Amino acid sequence: MAAFGILSYEHRPLKRPRLGPPDVYPQDPKQKEDELTALNVKQGFNNQPAVSGDEHGSAKNVNFNPSKISSNFSSIIAEKLRCNTFADTGKRKPQVNQKDNFWLVTARSQSSINNWFTDLAGTKPLTQLAKKVPIFSKKEEVFGYLAKYCVPVMRSAWMIKMTCAYHAAITETKVKKRHVIDPCIEWTQIITKYLWEQLQKVAEFYRQSPGQGCGSPLPAPPAEVETAMKQWEYHEKLAMFMFQDGMLDRHEFLTWVLECFEKIRPGEDELLRFLLPLLLQYSGEFVQSAYLSRRLAYFCTRRLNLLLSDGSLGPGPGGHPAHGISAQQGNALPPTPTSQPAGGNQPQTPFTDFYICYQHRPVVFGLSCMLQSIVLCCPSALVWHYSLTDSRNKTGSPLDLLPIAPSNLPMPGGNSSFNQQVRAKVREIEEQIKERGQAVEFRWSFDKCQETTAGFTISRVLHTLEVLDNHSFEKSDFSNSLDSLYNRIFGSGQSKDGHEMSPDDDAVVTLLCEWAVSCKRSGPHRAMVVAKLLEKRQTEIEAERCGESEVVDEKGSVSSGSLSAATLPVFQDVLLQFLDTQAPVLTEPGNESERVEFSNLVLLFCELIRHDVFSHNIYMCTLISRGDLASDSHLPRPRSPSDEPSDESERKEQDAGSSVKMEARSFLSQSHKNTAKDKGMDPAFPLVYEQPRHIQYATHFPIPQEESASHECNQRLVVLYGVGKQRDEARHAIKKITKDILKVLNRKSTAETGGEEGQKRKRSKPEAFPTAEDIFSKFQHLSHFDQHQVTSQVSRNVMEQIASFALGMSYHLPLVQHIQFIFDLMEYSLNISGLIDFAIQLLNELSLVEAELLLKSSNLAGSYTTGLCLCIVAVLRRYHSCLILNPDQTAQVFDGLRIVVKSGVNPADCSSAERCILAYLYDLYTSCSHLKSKFGEIFSEFCSKVKNSIYYNIDPSDSNMLWEQMFMIDAIANPTAHNLNHSMVGKILNDSPANRYSFVCNVLMDVCVDHRDPERVNDIGILCAELTAYCRSLSAEWLGVLKALCCSSNNGNCGFNDLLCNVDVSDLSFHDSLATFVAILIARQCLLLEDLVRCVAIPSLLNAACSEQDSESGARLTCRILLHLFRTPQRNPCPQDGTKSVGIRSSCDRHLLAASQNSIVVGAVFAVLKAVFMLGDAELKGSGFSHSAGLDDIGEDDMGSKKSGGRNVSIETASLVVYAKYVLKSICQQEWVGERCLKSLSEDSSALQDPVLVNIQAQRLLQLICYPHRQLDSEEGENPQRQRIKRILQNMDQWTMRQSSLELQLMIKQSSNNVSRSVFELYSLLENIAKATIEVFQKSAEMNSSNPTWNGSAVSSSSVSNSNNTAISSERSGVWLVAPLIGKLPTSVQGHVLKAAGEELEKGQHLGPSSRKERDRQKQKSMSLLSQQPFLSLVLTCLKGQDEQREGLLTSLYSQVQQIVTNWREDQYQDDCKAKQMMHEALKLRLNLVGGMFDTVQRSTQQTTEWAVLLLDIISSGTVDMQSNNELFTTVLDMLSVLINGTLAADMSSISQGSMEENKRAYMNLVKKLRKELGDRQSESLEKVRQLLPLPKQTRDVITCEPQGSLIDTKGNKIAGFEKEGLQVSTKQKISPWDVFEGLKHSAPLSWGWFGSVRVDRKVTKYEEQQRLLLYHTHIKPKPRSYYLAPLNLPQEEEEPPTPVPPEPDKKVDPGKPEKSASSVDYKPHNPVLQYTPGMAPDLMMNQSNMPFRMGYPTPMNMYNISQGYTTYGSHMGMQPHPSQPGGIGPASYGNQGFQGGHPGTNPAMVDPLRQMQPRPSGYVHQQAPAAYAHTVPNTQRSVTDKSAWLGPGFSTSPKIIR
């Protein structure tokens, strides 16, 4: 409908009247008349009217289609609606008219300014003030006025907005190409600069005011400062309002606040207190940014640390006196939660003194509060963080600066329950922060096992083992001493906080114990090394504890109970745990290695107890308290040691169930030659092994025999035997054995009266004195504890005898062989320390004894002391490695030996004993650097003499002289005769080569042909050694004669033909005797072992290997001799079987032989091994035995036959090839051979790369050296090389790791050296290693998944100890060791492994189109492999130095992680919990791998961005969140944090401006991308991510609407979808607060279009309508009353019905009540009452009881609420709720179906178009039309809009929002 008052076109005046009459047909923009088509140009415009006929006539005769009219009308309405819909003006800036609305302030306008600001501060509406706004020349001047007039901050902000708008408008007009300045940043800078100026004035006042201490009040500030303070206070509030309103750049402003605090100097506590409220106001905003929180946390921790430390509180710049906090209190450890009182008092903390200071109290509380807020809300800011170069963001965590934990900082409100809850939460988060920090530090390359034995710890353990293996314990110098060993093991692993033992320290201690006990390593020195290392470590830790503070440790741990920290050894708990779980225990009688390990354990704990590293007393107390020693009915009672087996068995039966027990004694350490008969003697034998482990330990662990230890010994006896008869028997048995030994020592036949006589007597009266055999058989049944007790007592007795003789008080000296017997017993009992001490005490007395003998002119003078000294040297040589651990003892030994042999002795002409002593002196001197510095002047010259006389290489003699068969035949026949003058005979032999020749031949004839009694062979050997000592030349003869015998096939080229004619070398019967004879010569330094190897063994073996004629018998003899020389001499003081085994009788000579073995150069050992190997691998002519495969055919039977003693002929008589293999295997099984070879190969593996060995032979020999007790596997299958590598990797444990490494290194070197096919062979080998490595991991994964209890947890209880062992060490074997092993190989191997790992990683991702089941199985297999932590460790190891591989792997990992996220988005893991868990594991592994390469990621900006976006994607997609997997979530979060911070920190990295800008740009781009990814999504996890980004600008969000059912097409444009009524929420529009002006009429940038607003014609109010009606109405004349009383004139029949009479004006129809007669009322346009005629369009019916209001406001369908909640329904109308808005609060439902059903007369063609015309109701407020004027609306038809929801019934046609 046209608006009122607008003239028609005809009557409208023209602007230019001269143009002629107006055109009443207005021109349209794109009308058809203007189209210049070809036709129009030719023919002109041809008008075709819509209806034919007269253009100006009426169309009343034309038939129009009503539906067409309807649709045309609808399109007109729709077009009108479109035109009336508001356009989106959101992009426009608000227009400000700078000419009209502003006036520039000048000096003259001061009064008007005052008035204006007074109005602004008052209540004058902004609409009026906006008409003229004053503008200052400088923007900041406005601040002064605002503060001066105390303008409310909201109106002040409006004033600032107007100022900003003015300047923006001015700039626009001035600058054509406008550079938009962000008002947020601009005004943030302006206001912070203004605030800073005010703050400086205030700060200056605080700094200048003289401080009289905390309590003194500040002087009154001057006026200027007071003004500044007021300005500060006002503008701080204004800034706060602008900040909250989003007018300031939040990040920039908070950074400025932070800088204000960072610029406060130490000591300016008043200023800090003044500013603190500012900080607390913004605390909620600070914690939204991790960057700001980190800086703030650094500030808080620094200040709190300053307050805590003494120095800061001295009279500083602020003049504050100290609060008197003691240093103790400042450094005290944080109290644990339990130490806090439960009451309401403040918990006792180091800050207690500050609570009473009114100045410091708020400072402490404020800073603590901020720090705790950061912990609770933004823990990411406190996580340990590595910074590249940012000076403000240092590497580390802010909490590093704080001496106490944030949870222990004070909190206002005392110790209320709420505070306790907060503290508990803070503590929980602190733990998470620690874990996350550790993860970042290790670049996420570790897992939970980190703290026990995996990850970093395992590498430390392996490093320790490698250090131990590479250390040479035979010598001591600066780079190879106990100190250097200690530094290599513990130096790197020192814990940061000193006294706290780090977890890997425990692991190292446990490893040291394992190393000392394991039978995979050898040497009694290990126990002492470990004891000394741990003692040193313990001392260091205790010193640190004492140094840190004298305060008693507040932990109050249970274990320390009543004991102070000083008495509980540091490692007691670790060692006890070792005993509980890993220590060996006796379980099987026949298990040799178990027995050896148990002996090692006893020795280890003997040393640990001696060094006070382990407390036996606390150990016993712990066992008693735990009940480990409690009486057990099913265990036998331990029997006391006793002589008579029958008694023992009876007693055992009686007491079996009555008391506690323990018998682990008898077979524990029997010698290797014990017979079955011996085992049978012990009736308790089956029960020994059933004792619980701690009872075995308590029985055997020795306690030092000192006065101070008597309590412990008594305690042990009581615990084991009770207090009755058994304890007495145990004591008695020990006393009896001691008495027996002392009987032998104290016999009347003393050494003084001559040894011969003594021996005769001993033989003549055997019953009077026990024999050594008897004593030993009883001794070996004692426990180690008892053995130590016996030997200590006996050795003390011997010392007393010798001391009293030395002092001249006695004539009795113990025999040398008796002392030797005591040495043997001590050695057998493992009393090594006691043995060394005893030997040194004897040594110190020897010079006095010698002097006494000379004084008494004894015939023993000169021989007794050197003989005894020889025994001492033998013992010390045997335990040389133990001796040199103690430099003082070493020096004592050296000095003592030097005095015994006297420097004047001639090394070339001395007795055999002296020769051995000199040799040891030389060895000691050369192996210990401290001896060189101490005795260098005295001994250095003599040292070279000894070297030239004893340690010189000799060549074999090949003499053939006249053989005098009777020469010295008497001496040879009676070698022990004492009447032989050795030195004189030596001179005779020296003078005549013929005599030497005859002597050598005679001796050899005697040994080989005449007498083969082992005793005689030993005696002859010693005689020859004595003579050789006096005649050096004999050495060459011995070597020559041996060469002649062994190389007998050389046809007489070697000399000694006379002997060869009489000795049949192929006769096996003398081989043992000859071997024993040679062994004694070598032991006594007559020959060097390496000379024998070089001149005799190698030529002989090579002759046979080259199949020379008749060489076999010589080679067999050589093998026999080598076997004797290389085999470790067995320790058995008294052989118990009746057979006379051939061997070295004296333990002294056995020790000396062992020393010779140790001193041989390792090259000679390899030469022997290679020669024997070649012999065993060759095909020999004439032997009838052909074999070239290696050593596979030697079974355990062959080995056993040699040992059992009954069948040794079998291997002796076997073919030479088999015998050579047996000899090789036996030699390789000697511990010293394996140890020396492995140590040498570890340093240089070229020894096996010998041209004489082909590759496979070298590998076989290496295997034999590495695994002498293992059968060699024959590799079969398609790829034997890969199978072998796989076996090496699978069978590896921590002890065999170096062997595995050597095997692989040898294969690689062989492939590299093979020039002809090297490239292909090497590539193939590397591929095999890589593939085998992956297969090992796969197999391990399968085993884990198929048997979760694989690590021994499902073992039966009978083998508890073994299962424990397995479980604990499983991580240190198998796959865990693959990574360290591969790390030792060349980088080419690592490259191949990395490539194979990358391929394997991708397998689980992109699987071909196989069946789903197969795909899942493959994926599971891949994931379970990849979720293994060791696999991660392997890849990271390989990555070191593999840059080209890194890029490829990173790309591959990127695609894999992306694939996981994609799979998640496709809901592949939703239903299956297991799949989800596996996905998380796989994701974790890949992220850990990426963590290992993080430096590579960070070096590239592109990779940083890609990974950052991907990490964000992991969180935003929900793949990982805080609820499902918090650990993984924090990993992703911290990675993202490091990437973002890394980019941020880089802007400090270089000085050049260009690169700074570039980095800043990279940072901004990264932030922009991440923000875009984040969008507006909300979740708890995403909030944590948002903290990592700078604070975003705050905008005002407006929710916008669009018609319901709108769709978006492919181009992104909105199009109308299916037709629905109402609006739907479409988008969120962000408006800058600077663009929204209060008090201005224009709405930009708020756009009406956002709310679906439509222009509507102004609604005529009912008052206007009434007035209009009144203007034209006529009054009806009143009728007289009679008119009404007269009857009606009834119509004539057949007449037309009369027209209905309208009712009188005073008779109005109530619109709320439907009238029944409505159908008979006619409608008149002027009538205010709505009437209805049949046929009228139902839309016009406004009857409220059954019809919604259609023409006015959109009416909610619950219009019926008018009738007080009762619903009235029309019979013809169905009202249904709107589908999209359930409930009843929705737009009207128009229910036209009801109308059509109820009014058949209605024209449907009219209804539909009318319905289309109706505008859609708004999705917001549905205003209800008041019923009072509902009937007036039809007269003012309008196009109804959704805007009606926003409009009130005013006169204005301009839309507005009702707020």
Side-chain angles (χ1 to χ4, degrees), residues 337-345 347 407 411-428:
T338 52
S339 67
Q340 296 173 358
N345 299 334
S407 52
M411 290 169 69
N415 207 17
S416 64
S417 61
F418 173 72
N419 278 5
Q420 284 177 344
Q421 286 172 16
V422 174
R423 281 188 202 280
K425 185 69 182 167
V426 172
R427 263 186 214 103
E428 183 190 325

Side-chain angles (χ1 to χ4, degrees), residues 98-114:
Q98 68 262 31
K99 290 177 186 168
D100 301 340
N101 292 3
F102 298 95
W103 49 288
L104 296 173
V105 175
T106 56
R108 285 181 295 180
S109 53
Q110 195 62 43
S111 60
S112 38
I113 289 254
N114 291 344

